[in-house]
Amino acid sequence: MPALRALLVSPGECARHPDALARELAPGLCELVACAVPDGRVEIPGRRELAAVGLGPAGLFHRARLGTCTEHLDFGLAAPSEGVHAYMLGGPGRRDTTAAVLELEALLGQPPGPVGTVVAFPARGVAIFLAPGARRLRRSLVAWGLRQFWCAEPEAAPLRLGDTLRFISSWTRDAYRTLPDPVSPLLYWHHHGKLSVLGDLDLSHLPRELARLVLSSA
């Protein structure tokens, strides 16, 4: 069985691998099934090569996600101001583990927060995420086994969700413009296993569950 890994890429990068097993997760975001090789790189096999594994597309994507989650996962906490903080999984130059963000519920054994997660993938190998309304998320991540590699400030002040969403949006756009291998400048809401775009952070356009938490944290 090959060591399968899940890669989150831009539609443009996906188009450069026409024989790859790929799927669109949401507008501006695709997932490829790749194979880890001994020197730490990943290679992107063709569908015919993967078909020999005998799992079918759904099984291959599932196995790739599991393989990514077995990598060494570490995270940082960015806190530019009091009450504004978000998490980063991976980073430029690190092994690409960003797809693990979409498996947090499975990794932790429970939903990371009451209304899912807000996630962004500005560049290859970089994911920033937040679980609105979560309690002790950092403690849960450490208890599961993720290694915290960086922290700007203790996760102590009450979260200002509206300001945090705007921070994530701005940080994502800047990272998309400046980091190598850009993926997507968009924010996504990962809820009940589905990704949807958060294109407008105005309260009237946010999903009702998120808007309610923004109002309660103001």
Side-chain angles (χ1 to χ4, degrees), residues 25-27 29 65 101-105 111-121 128-134 161 165 168 172 184-201 203 205-214:
L25 297 179
L29 186 66
R65 288 275 185 95
V101 169
L102 303 177
E103 297 294 331
L104 283 179
E105 182 169 348
V115 295
T117 53
V118 175
V119 296
F121 309 97
I128 188 167
F129 68 100
L130 172 75
L161 181 56
L165 291 177
I168 295 175
T172 298
S184 175
L186 302 174
L187 292 192
Y188 299 92
W189 186 35
H190 189 228
H191 191 43
H192 296 315
K194 296 181 179 179
L195 277 172
S196 55
V197 174
L198 293 177
D200 189 334
L201 299 182
L203 278 176
H205 293 93
L206 285 175
R208 184 176 303 173
E209 299 95 325
L210 284 177
R212 188 179 299 120
L213 286 175
V214 169

Side-chain angles (χ1 to χ4, degrees), residues 1-2 4 21 45-57 60:
M1 174 70 67
L4 300 183
L21 181 59
R47 285 190 179 90
R48 183 173 299 178
E49 182 180 347
L50 288 171
V53 178
L55 291 177
L60 289 165

Side-chain angles (χ1 to χ4, degrees), residues 117-155:
T117 53
V118 175
V119 296
F121 309 97
R124 177 77 178 271
V126 182
I128 188 167
F129 68 100
L130 172 75
R135 297 289 184 268
R136 302 181 180 87
L137 178 59
R138 185 173 61 179
R139 187 177 301 174
S140 297
L141 294 170
V142 171
W144 183 80
L146 276 72
R147 182 178 69 89
Q148 184 173 344
F149 69 89
W150 177 62
C151 178
E153 176 184 295
E155 186 186 15

